Amino acid sequence: MPVHDIVVVGANFAGLGTAHYLLKHTIPALEKANGKSTVYKLTLISPSTHFYFKIGSPRILAKPDLIPFSKAFLPLKDAFKEYPADRFSLVIGEAIELDEENKSITVQDTYSTTARNLTVYYSSLVIATGATANSPLWNLKGSHESTLAALKEMHASLPKAKTILIAGGGPAGVETAGELATIYTNASITLLSGSTRLLTRLRPAISAAAEAQLNNLSVTVIHKSLKVVENTTGRSTNTTLHLSDNTSRDVDVYIDATGTRPNSAFLPTHWLTKDGHVRTEDKLTLRGPVPSVYAIGDVAGYSLGNVFDINDAVRPMCSSIYQDLSGRDKPTSKPFKQNTAETQLVPIGPNGGVGAVFGWKLPSFAVKMIKSKDYMIGQAPKTVSGEQFAKA
């Protein structure tokens, strides 16, 4: 009996959601539609043995007992126990090269001290590799151990720090400034927005409210597009920073929260946009640049870079896979409808914050109830188990 290998590369929000949905719904529907004439097997490639709940990073890095590692880092090995072993396999390693002609991916072991490579072949491919931040504090790049080490360094350094500089005026920078200012009240904390205001995806009035809340916590916010151009030691602690105005600052702790780049270096360049994202030829179906290839999440050109966007895309993309493999003319669900309305929740300490949902500005207490109180850490096990995709 022929085997159709569906390979999902990446095991964060996009990859986990896609893998669970395909295994729970799409593959059983395909077997039913095709009279079990084909065996469908799913392989999930993950550079890490663990999922990291990156949404909680600002609080996780602030102090070890606020969100313990045991809740933030969850093992993947038990997340897929419910599926038959002949239908699912987990490959731990980083995709380093793709051979378009042979439909194969070279995967390098991320936990071995010696370079060990494995070749994984695909019939259908889902690219869900996400994006990498400049600092390992914010997400995983390779093994989860590098992020653990960076967080432990923060936990050791922050209580002793007298000067803390955070670069980046997006949610990660603003949230981190709020967390640290609430806990380390004797430290001098500076936030460089790198722009003319904070939180540029939100309306100016909300940006101003965020800055006012940070000022109330004694955080110094600097705009005028002032940026860090060089970290002279490359370290996050006890370093000298050269700034874009030709000045320098000695700081006890430096936190880089200045953005991300797509994890697409292993892909053919003609699959990518100029900025390195995977081209999605049809935004409604999330089909990729060539047949049998699909893209979802932060690595994809259509993405808005948030979890809402990912969750909204899983079902439509999986229905495209079903349509392509079943030969049916109609998808099993509606095409992807991206919600572009203003949506961002930004805690500033545990007692509130700023934000908007689907264009509606939220009061501080609402941000507290939704996110500030625990950074939604209860969603971590649900993400790993695929609970939110239990229904088709």
Side-chain angles (χ1 to χ4, degrees), residues 91-391:
V91 173
I92 300 300
E94 183 177 0
I96 59 172
E97 186 177 5
L98 183 142
D99 185 330
E100 184 177 2
E101 182 178 354
N102 293 316
K103 286 192 168 184
S104 67
I105 300 169
T106 301
V107 180
Q108 186 175 73
D109 189 335
T110 42
Y111 287 83
S112 175
T113 54
T114 59
R116 296 190 300 177
N117 294 345
L118 173 71
T119 300
V120 177
Y121 293 90
Y122 65 88
S123 307
S124 297
L125 174 66
V126 177
I127 304 166
T129 46
T132 298
N134 292 326
S135 167
L137 291 168
W138 312 116
N139 54 22
L140 302 183
K141 174 61 175 174
S143 156
H144 72 292
E145 293 171 347
S146 61
T147 295
L148 274 173
L151 291 167
K152 290 176 180 178
E153 182 182 34
M154 286 293 113
H155 294 163
S157 302
L158 285 168
K160 301 177 290 185
K162 295 181 180 180
T163 55
I164 301 170
L165 188 141
I166 303 165
V174 171
E175 290 172 356
T176 300
E179 292 295 314
L180 300 187
T182 301
I183 300 168
Y184 305 107
T185 54
N186 292 325
S188 172
I189 300 175
T190 301
L191 175 63
L192 303 184
S193 75
S195 181
T196 56
R197 62 185 179 92
L198 301 173
L199 306 172
T200 55
R201 289 193 178 186
L202 293 171
R203 71 192 76 166
I206 298 179
S207 298
E211 184 166 350
Q213 290 189 33
L214 288 174
N215 289 339
N216 288 338
L217 292 170
S218 299
V219 174
T220 300
V221 179
I222 299 176
H223 301 297
K224 299 180 181 178
S225 299
L226 185 64
K227 299 178 181 180
V228 175
V229 296
E230 183 185 11
N231 178 358
T232 58
T233 67
R235 298 193 306 263
S236 296
T237 58
N238 301 317
T239 191
T240 299
L241 305 173
H242 292 165
L243 307 180
S244 56
D245 63 354
N246 294 319
T247 63
S248 296
R249 289 196 183 202
D250 295 324
V251 297
D252 296 323
V253 172
Y254 168 55
I255 298 176
D256 186 342
T258 54
T260 61
R261 57 191 182 279
N263 295 323
S264 59
F266 71 101
L267 296 171
T269 55
H270 65 275
W271 287 17
L272 308 177
T273 63
K274 291 181 180 180
D275 60 1
H277 290 88
V278 180
R279 292 190 287 109
T280 44
E281 299 302 331
D282 184 349
K283 188 175 176 179
L284 296 177
T285 66
L286 307 183
R287 290 181 173 93
V290 296
S292 302
V293 173
Y294 312 83
I296 186 170
D298 293 358
V299 74
Y302 77 88
S303 176
L304 296 176
N306 62 61
V307 174
F308 297 106
D309 202 52
I310 291 170
N311 290 340
D312 287 346
V314 168
R315 289 179 175 86
M317 186 192 66
C318 290
S319 73
S320 294
I321 295 173
Y322 173 81
Q323 182 181 7
D324 292 344
L325 299 185
S326 68
R328 300 296 176 90
D329 292 333
K330 296 181 180 180
T332 56
S333 65
K334 295 180 180 179
F336 175 52
K337 293 183 178 179
Q338 191 168 45
N339 193 321
T340 58
E342 181 185 37
T343 298
Q344 206 168 66
L345 296 174
V346 185
I348 300 176
N351 298 314
V354 300
V357 174
F358 306 137
W360 294 91
K361 179 182 177 182
L362 294 182
S364 182
F365 76 85
V367 178
K368 175 182 178 180
M369 294 302 298
I370 298 170
K371 189 175 179 182
S372 299
K373 60 179 180 179
D374 63 0
Y375 269 81
M376 305 167 71
I377 192 63
Q379 294 300 313
K382 296 179 182 179
T383 301
V384 173
S385 69
E387 182 178 327
Q388 71 268 48
F389 295 112
K391 295 182 180 179

Side-chain angles (χ1 to χ4, degrees), residues 83-94:
Y83 309 114
D86 61 346
R87 293 293 190 270
F88 173 78
S89 63
L90 175 64
V91 173
I92 300 300
E94 183 177 0

